[in-house]
Amino acid sequence: MSEAAGSRVVEFAIAGMTCAACSARLEKVLNRQPGMQANVNLAAERARVRLAGEADEGAVIAAVARAGFAASLVDKDTRAREKARRAADYRREIRRFWIAVALTLPLVGQMLFMFGSAQHHAELPRWLQLALATPVQFWIGWRFYDGAWKALRGGGANMDVLVALGTSMAWGFSAAVTLFGLAQHVYFEAGAAVITLVLLGKLLEARAKARTSEAIESLIRLQPKTARIERDGQWVEIPVDVLMPGDIFMVRPGESVPVDGEVVDGSSSVNEAMLTGESMPVAKAPGDQVFAATANGQGALRCRATGVGEQTLLAGIIRLVGEAQGSKAPVQRLADRISAVFVPVVCVIALATFAGWWWHSGAFAEALVNAVAVLVIACPCALGLATPTAIMVGTGQGARAGILVKNVEALERAEKIAVLALDKTGTLTRGEPQVTDIVPLAADADEALRLAAALEQGSEHPLARAVLARAAAVDLPKVVNFSATPGAGVAGEIAGRALRLGAPEWLGMADDPAVLGLQRQGKTVVVLDAGGVALALLAIADALRPTSRVAIERLRARGIRVVMLTGDNAATAAAIAHEAGIDEFRAGILPGDKAAAIAELKSGGLVAMVGDGINDAPALAAADVSFAIGAGSDAAVEAADLTLIRSDLCGVDDAIDLSRATLGKIRQNLFFAFIYNVLGIPLAAFGMLNPVVAGAAMAMSSVSVVSNSLLLKRWRPQAR
């Protein structure tokens, strides 16, 4: 959910939800409260609530409590507390499960000895069956009664209602037969086995669900706990939490960078794969940015902290991934609507089954067993877990590959992209001028570069920075009598030789064929002149990113129409488009007109936009799906649905591939969940399903859905 004027979004950890009916009911309860708009995620056990007006956090916690659950504000320690609580709960449930197994095995084992025999001589004494089944029913199974009571008290019904009602009917009938000595078969084994199997399913489900959040856990584990900072000339190790912007910190070889910062001294290479997915180390020198949790190589770096705590890039990634995992895809709406009415409908079907069988056969026990089977086989858990588990795994895999998903709805739409609009500068290209050609005329290329760079020393002009970057490893001579002519060029003397470097028009070479040829390629040309003799031509351009052409080829292979939008002149646009393999472009578009161009392109289908600058923000907001280049402006990143941390257009194709993989898993999960109930409930109603078998099938349905989602962990971005 995005922030609205006068409102804020707060995240709560929710305890006590057991199935989709719980999350659907809680969401409905919260959305009925004044000033609240909620989104509840069963798999993540989170509720994101937009508060407006007089609504506050206390009102949310109170409303959740009235609905039968518990809520607490999410803070930096919440995940650790939840992990510890879940581990303790898991250990406790494991112990209870094995106790349930020990008590249930004799009840189920007797059925093996009785199988095929008309006599019940192998049957355990009924008082012993009652003694074995009762602890399983009311101690081990107390969680189902507690959950059912809270659900009914809150005005809803969930899976706990089905399990508690079904097993209670089996136990109650069997207990009455035992206590009153009636000549009827008892079904203690059915109720005990169902509770044991459902508990096993819950344990397996909890174990599988824990794996869906591994992406965030692995990111959190990357965060260093301490930093080495400079205090009064001494290096002191302090907790990273107390580091302040502006502090100078040291990163020794092999250590992780504690916070975001800027290198002030030293050089090294840093492995940023955990943030960008790029395996090659990135060279770092004074002035370069470093990011928290990235791994330093062989050199030591002195850095100035620029982003600490929640302001680091890693913290932003963790926050975005968490928000995406907690959001709800449109495809889940159908499952939510069904889950909301599922339990009441199942209860009606069970009642109809009981009445129909009793009327048809006159056998109360047979009617009861079939009604219990209906209650036990029906489970809305699989429906509730189908979408969020796939989204949690999918967005986690995306984060590992440098694709941050801010809007899950956009991830769902990504597979339907028909038109992709691209900004040029900083998106297709590197976003900074580079010397692409040195054409020697009366001097060799190396000497020309050395002289040109010497003249440009101290200049902050983008073209000057490009020349100096190209000559970074060259020893530059001293320049005297330096002068600059605005809009034309610079002049000076080197070793008694008068030199000029500037525009072809200034130096009388505007009509030179070599100059015109380079300009037709969309390049800016400067001339190095000595006493009226042209020594060399230097061509400067915003070079294409190395992977841009490959990315365009991959997108076009998917049948996507690619359109470049740029404010540059037609000649430059044509040159870049040709180099990138783009057939369609629109040049001379003002920033305010890009959004209108996006609206026009929508006639060709669903439109995506990729941009990096502030001027791209309106177009990104107007597109159906928007991608921001990670190195771009904050405004572009804020307006976009997905951010490509690697600043690599191949990430767009990878995001589309991830969208298709994730949506494929969601559809498979929903199919399995629906078909399971569509087949299972009629089989139980027609007496073709034993309650024990129904319990096992119900327990495994949720496990199968979560396990299917975990197969997304095999997804990998294509090799560049």
Side-chain angles (χ1 to χ4, degrees):
M1 289 181 287
S2 60
E3 293 282 358
S7 67
R8 65 188 189 282
V9 176
V10 185
E11 189 172 19
F12 296 86
I14 305 296
M17 295 190 297
T18 58
C19 70
C22 293
S23 58
R25 179 167 56 84
L26 179 58
E27 189 170 291
K28 187 180 295 184
V29 167
L30 291 175
N31 285 329
R32 285 175 181 165
Q33 308 301 312
M36 296 184 196
Q37 182 183 347
N39 181 359
V40 179
N41 185 300
L42 170 65
E45 297 183 341
R46 289 285 192 272
R48 284 176 53 78
V49 186
R50 178 183 287 129
L51 301 175
E54 297 182 0
D56 59 13
E57 290 83 351
V60 175
I61 293 173
V64 171
R66 288 195 298 271
F69 308 100
S72 60
L73 277 169
V74 172
D75 56 32
K76 63 184 179 68
D77 298 321
T78 297
R79 196 173 298 277
R81 288 197 303 268
E82 285 185 336
K83 191 173 182 179
R85 176 182 60 79
R86 286 172 183 164
D89 290 347
Y90 188 80
R91 289 193 296 270
R92 183 175 61 253
E93 292 301 323
I94 281 285
R95 287 195 297 270
R96 290 190 175 190
F97 167 72
W98 286 115
I99 293 171
V101 168
L103 295 172
T104 304
L105 274 179
L107 297 172
V108 176
Q110 68 174 338
M111 297 172 61
L112 301 177
F113 294 105
M114 293 164 51
F115 184 75
S117 172
Q119 303 298 320
H120 289 183
H121 57 271
E123 185 178 22
L124 292 174
R126 292 186 176 180
W127 63 266
L128 180 57
Q129 292 188 52
L130 176 62
L132 290 170
T134 301
V136 176
Q137 182 70 41
F138 296 105
W139 177 47
I140 304 297
W142 177 252
R143 57 176 291 167
F144 301 112
Y145 289 101
D146 183 55
W149 164 247
K150 289 178 178 177
L152 294 171
R153 186 185 65 183
N158 60 5
M159 184 206 71
D160 292 333
V161 172
L162 298 180
V163 175
L165 184 59
T167 58
S168 295
M169 288 170 62
W171 182 90
F173 173 77
S174 301
V177 169
T178 300
L179 294 175
F180 294 106
L182 303 178
Q184 295 282 349
H185 182 64
V186 293
Y187 297 95
F188 287 118
E189 78 284 346
V194 164
I195 288 175
T196 303
L197 288 168
V198 172
L199 189 57
L200 173 62
K202 284 290 182 185
L203 289 170
L204 293 174
E205 179 186 311
R207 186 175 179 179
K209 279 169 63 178
R211 292 177 59 197
T212 64
S213 60
E214 281 182 0
I216 285 187
E217 293 291 343
S218 63
L219 289 174
I220 291 173
R221 285 195 295 270
L222 292 173
Q223 294 179 299
K225 299 294 186 291
T226 61
R228 190 172 289 100
I229 69 166
E230 192 173 16
R231 286 280 190 269
D232 301 324
Q234 300 292 322
W235 293 103
V236 182
E237 195 163 292
I238 64 170
V240 73
D241 293 341
V242 302
L243 205 61
M244 298 292 290
D247 283 343
I248 301 297
F249 62 90
M250 171 70 77
V251 187
R252 294 185 298 191
E255 291 184 338
S256 293
V257 180
V259 295
D260 291 359
E262 179 183 345
V263 179
V264 295
D265 186 35
S267 62
S268 184
S269 59
V270 176
N271 186 340
E272 298 181 346
M274 63 286 297
L275 295 182
T276 67
E278 176 57 64
S279 58
M280 292 298 293
V282 180
K284 299 294 181 182
D288 290 337
Q289 295 293 312
V290 292
F291 303 102
T294 54
N296 187 26
Q298 299 302 312
L301 297 173
R302 259 178 96 246
C303 309
R304 179 181 294 105
T306 57
V308 300
E310 292 299 308
Q311 281 70 52
T312 65
L313 177 61
L314 179 65
I317 291 174
I318 293 171
R319 186 167 55 251
L320 281 175
V321 173
E323 290 175 2
Q325 291 183 343
S327 60
K328 189 173 294 185
V331 73
Q332 193 178 347
R333 291 171 187 156
L334 175 62
D336 286 347
R337 288 197 296 269
I338 292 175
S339 297
V341 299
F342 187 84
V343 175
V345 168
V346 169
C347 289
V348 170
I349 294 174
L351 183 61
T353 299
F354 175 77
W357 275 96
W358 197 8
W359 174 80
H360 173 71
S361 65
F364 177 86
E366 185 178 18
L368 179 69
V369 168
N370 291 333
V372 169
V374 170
L375 290 170
V376 171
I377 190 65
C379 176
C381 282
L383 284 174
L385 293 169
T387 299
T389 52
I391 286 173
M392 289 178 74
V393 179
T395 53
Q397 289 300 100
R400 288 177 175 176
I403 303 167
L404 287 187
V405 180
K406 186 169 72 173
N407 184 340
V408 172
E409 189 170 347
L411 180 65
E412 181 178 333
R413 290 195 298 263
E415 67 166 356
K416 304 183 183 75
I417 292 173
V419 183
L420 182 69
L422 298 167
D423 174 51
K424 179 184 76 69
T425 305
T427 301
L428 274 170
T429 65
R430 294 180 181 273
E432 55 185 26
Q434 292 181 314
V435 176
T436 59
D437 304 89
I438 300 176
V439 181
L441 297 176
D444 63 59
D446 290 341
E447 178 64 10
L449 177 62
R450 189 176 75 92
L451 297 174
L455 289 171
E456 295 285 22
Q457 289 181 86
S459 175
E460 288 300 317
H461 192 280
L463 298 184
R465 289 200 298 270
V467 174
L468 289 167
R470 179 68 177 265
V474 176
D475 289 330
L476 303 180
K478 184 178 179 181
V479 179
V480 297
N481 298 325
F482 176 83
S483 64
T485 304
V490 295
E493 291 183 18
I494 298 177
R497 190 181 185 188
L499 298 168
R500 292 187 296 171
L501 179 72
E505 294 81 5
W506 186 48
L507 297 171
M509 293 192 64
D511 298 325
D512 185 88
V515 171
L516 294 174
L518 291 170
Q519 289 177 335
R520 279 193 291 270
Q521 297 175 34
K523 299 175 181 179
T524 299
V525 180
V526 293
V527 180
L528 178 64
D529 174 277
V533 177
L535 301 181
L537 304 179
L538 281 74
I540 301 171
D542 185 6
L544 203 67
R545 291 185 186 273
T547 55
S548 290
R549 186 173 183 87
V550 174
I552 298 303
E553 290 174 356
R554 284 169 53 175
L555 292 165
R556 293 182 64 176
R558 289 186 182 273
I560 295 174
R561 173 187 168 200
V562 181
V563 182
M564 185 179 78
L565 306 178
T566 178
D568 275 349
N569 60 68
T572 300
I576 290 293
H578 175 74
E579 188 179 355
I582 298 174
D583 296 330
E584 187 177 351
F585 65 88
R586 301 185 184 185
I589 295 182
L590 297 175
D593 296 332
K594 283 188 178 181
I598 294 294
E600 182 184 336
L601 289 171
K602 286 185 177 181
S603 61
L606 190 141
V607 176
M609 170 71 186
V610 189
D612 77 312
I614 294 174
N615 62 327
D616 295 321
L620 290 169
D624 297 306
V625 181
S626 52
F627 298 85
I629 295 295
S633 70
D634 291 342
V637 172
E638 181 64 28
D641 301 313
L642 300 98
T643 301
L644 309 178
I645 295 296
R646 292 175 61 172
S647 300
D648 183 345
L649 272 181
C650 287
V652 176
D653 183 70
D654 289 334
I656 295 172
D657 191 53
L658 177 63
S659 169
R660 292 183 176 180
T662 304
L663 268 293
K665 285 301 176 191
I666 290 174
R667 294 187 185 105
Q668 291 171 16
N669 288 346
L670 289 174
F671 172 79
F672 292 145
F674 281 123
I675 202 69
Y676 163 81
N677 285 294
V678 166
L679 294 177
I681 292 175
L683 287 174
F686 285 105
M688 301 170 67
L689 211 58
N690 182 280
V692 175
V693 176
M698 195 251 324
M700 295 310 298
S701 65
S702 297
V703 177
S704 63
V705 164
V706 177
S707 300
N708 188 49
S709 295
L710 288 171
L711 292 177
L712 269 174
K713 285 181 172 289
R714 298 185 301 185
W715 179 87
R716 294 290 185 275
Q718 291 188 38
R720 300 298 193 259

